[in-house]
Each structure stands twice: as C-alpha cells, then as structure tokens.
Amino acid sequence: MIIAVKNKEGIYRVYKVDPDQSEGIHLFNESDPNQLRSRIRKWCREHLPEEMEMVHFNAKNGRDDCIKIKHYLTDQNIPFELKQHTFFISKQRYSSVKDKIKNIAEIEDD
C-alpha cells in the first residue's frame, strides 16, 4: 500500500507500507498536491511493474452488474477503479477472482 501524509508545512511524505510491517518505508516528498498522484503512479511503474500491470473488464448488464461486482471487490478488499461500466484492477488480483466475478455478473474481458 502506498500512503501520503501531509505535514504541517503542507509537504506530502509518501510511504510504502506492507501488511506485515508496522512502519512504512519513506519513498519521497512532494510539495505540489496537483503532482502527487502522477508522481506516485510514476514511482510505482518504475519500481513495482508486476503489481502495476492492470486489466480491465466491462459489466455487460450495466448498473446492476456494476453494483454486484463493486460490492464483491469491496468486501474482498481488492482495490479497483470504475469508469462508467469498466473495472480496472491489478492483473494479479484479477487472475485470483476472475471465476468468482463471472459467477456474480456477466462480464466482457480480454
């Protein structure tokens, strides 16, 4: 997990925290909040390429299937992004839950 903590001066300190660690590893500082997200993504692409590889799939039946899939992913603590009816999740996570998602809702994937 990557977290950003804003200090009193308004500078974000970005850390990588593993579930089995009590303290995070400091990665970098960012003073511009508009650049924070892109800088985190850039760092992840450079240092965590396997974990950053994403796949996408579409919910065929629109809103109803999106809600079912969203609830499942949230309950399983699987991070995802949803844009209209398209879900984006890490390739590693998707391979482990693909069959379950197909049982929950009708999807189109690559």
Side-chain angles (χ1 to χ4, degrees):
M1 176 186 330
I2 306 291
I3 62 169
V5 180
K6 187 176 181 181
N7 66 16
K8 292 178 184 177
E9 292 82 33
I11 297 172
Y12 290 89
R13 292 180 54 87
V14 180
Y15 299 89
K16 179 178 185 278
V17 181
D18 290 324
D20 56 339
Q21 291 179 327
S22 60
E23 292 186 24
I25 300 166
H26 180 254
L27 304 176
F28 58 86
N29 294 335
E30 179 59 57
S31 58
D32 184 1
N34 296 325
Q35 294 295 316
L36 182 63
R37 186 176 204 157
S38 63
R39 182 133 182 240
I40 290 171
R41 286 186 177 178
K42 180 181 177 196
W43 186 93
C44 290
R45 272 190 225 101
E46 291 171 358
H47 296 89
L48 308 170
E50 298 86 29
E51 295 173 29
M52 287 298 294
E53 193 171 345
M54 303 291 278
V55 295
H56 69 277
F57 61 90
N58 298 316
K60 266 186 146 180
N61 297 322
R63 186 176 185 274
D64 293 336
D65 281 351
C66 281
I67 291 171
K68 292 175 190 175
I69 296 168
K70 182 179 176 181
H71 283 297
Y72 173 73
L73 294 174
T74 304
D75 290 345
Q76 298 298 313
N77 295 321
I78 298 174
F80 66 92
E81 287 187 37
L82 175 61
K83 295 180 182 174
Q84 295 181 347
H85 299 127
T86 304
F87 286 85
F88 298 86
I89 67 172
S90 78
K91 188 174 185 176
Q92 289 177 333
R93 295 286 184 112
Y94 183 63
S95 63
S96 66
V97 297
K98 180 178 181 178
D99 293 333
K100 181 65 176 170
I101 291 172
K102 286 185 174 185
N103 289 337
I104 293 171
E106 198 171 343
I107 63 169
E108 296 173 333
D109 62 351
D110 297 333

